[in-house]
Amino acid sequence: MKNVHLLNNYTKMKKIIYFLALGFMLVLASCSSYKYNTTRVQELDFSQYKTYGWLPPIDSLSKNYFNNDIAKHNIMSTANKEIEARGLTYSKESPDLLFRYISIVNNKSRLVYGNSYWGWGGPWGFYRPWGFYGGFYGGYSYPVGKERYRYSHLIIEAIDRKTNSVVWQARGSHEIDNPEKAINNLPKVVSGIIKQYPIQIKK
């Protein structure tokens, strides 16, 4: 009876650890969904810019899910709201800054790793990007093949109209598993990009 009790406790503990690992994996996946990077001309006073306008989007040679009216609306309407919240006013006549964007979707591939036997990840194991190696029983991971996926970049940059030079640029990147979902998430991505602008929201 004692051995049965210990076995039941061991089984319960194994299930708890499995679900904790699964939850941790989902948290990591949600936190890493969107990545933002930015660069700017250092020592430049961005408060001097009071008005802005738009240049046409740059054509991308890669497969592009965002070259349609809905995607363009999601990008432009959100960008205008975020830019104006930072004190700039839209102007068609000689604006101080000219914004433009480019969207890129690349085809990529990555190794898929499996475990030698059932463990935390069951028979399928965990993918290498999440950093889980081996199963609950201390097995090992090995590549079982490759999977193709699509990764998108939305880049927004600001150009000083007088000098005709780029003074700020930011990029939002994320993996695409569903084109429609990616288009619907564009407002979130654009907001994250404009948050990188040197001037914060005016209160």
Side-chain angles (χ1 to χ4, degrees):
M1 291 295 294
K2 184 177 181 180
N3 290 336
V4 173
H5 180 70
L6 290 174
L7 181 61
N8 289 337
N9 286 341
Y10 176 76
T11 303
K12 290 179 181 179
M13 182 61 68
K14 185 172 66 174
K15 289 181 179 180
I16 291 173
I17 293 176
Y18 168 74
F19 285 112
L20 286 175
L22 182 61
F24 181 66
M25 178 183 70
L26 293 175
V27 169
L28 286 179
S30 63
C31 291
S32 61
S33 295
Y34 299 94
K35 297 180 180 179
Y36 300 98
N37 295 277
T38 185
T39 185
R40 53 168 289 186
V41 175
Q42 301 298 323
E43 309 301 331
L44 179 64
D45 180 13
F46 280 80
S47 65
Q48 65 179 298
Y49 301 119
K50 305 299 182 183
T51 58
Y52 78 97
W54 284 94
L55 291 172
I58 298 177
D59 291 334
S60 172
L61 297 179
S62 66
K63 184 176 180 62
N64 196 339
Y65 292 128
F66 306 135
N67 188 26
N68 58 75
D69 291 340
I70 296 176
K72 290 177 181 178
H73 172 79
N74 287 346
I75 293 172
M76 294 294 293
S77 61
T78 305
N80 284 328
K81 181 177 66 176
E82 293 287 347
I83 293 171
E84 291 176 5
R86 286 158 174 79
L88 281 79
T89 303
Y90 178 77
S91 174
K92 292 183 178 180
E93 302 296 331
S94 302
D96 300 327
L97 279 180
L98 292 169
F99 286 91
R100 66 183 176 192
Y101 71 86
I102 177 173
S103 57
I104 303 171
V105 178
N106 292 328
N107 291 318
K108 292 189 175 186
S109 64
R110 63 188 168 204
L111 291 174
V112 177
Y113 282 70
N115 288 334
S116 55
Y117 39 73
W118 284 50
W120 280 354
W124 54 87
F126 288 113
Y127 288 160
R128 183 186 182 96
W130 283 312
F132 287 91
Y133 297 87
F136 177 77
Y137 297 109
Y140 59 89
S141 295
Y142 55 92
V144 295
K146 286 186 177 181
E147 67 170 351
R148 296 181 63 83
Y149 66 100
R150 291 192 171 98
Y151 204 78
S152 75
H153 305 277
L154 179 63
I155 303 167
I156 299 179
E157 57 186 15
I159 300 167
D160 186 307
R161 187 184 58 82
K162 292 181 180 179
T163 63
N164 195 32
S165 59
V166 176
V167 295
W168 171 81
Q169 185 185 84
R171 180 179 75 247
S173 306
H174 64 106
E175 182 179 335
I176 291 180
D177 55 6
N178 180 289
E180 290 77 18
K181 182 179 178 181
I183 292 173
N184 292 336
N185 283 340
L186 279 172
K188 177 181 178 179
V189 179
V190 173
S191 293
I193 292 173
I194 303 298
K195 283 181 180 179
Q196 313 303 314
Y197 187 73
I199 302 297
Q200 298 304 307
I201 293 178
K202 300 291 184 180
K203 295 182 180 180

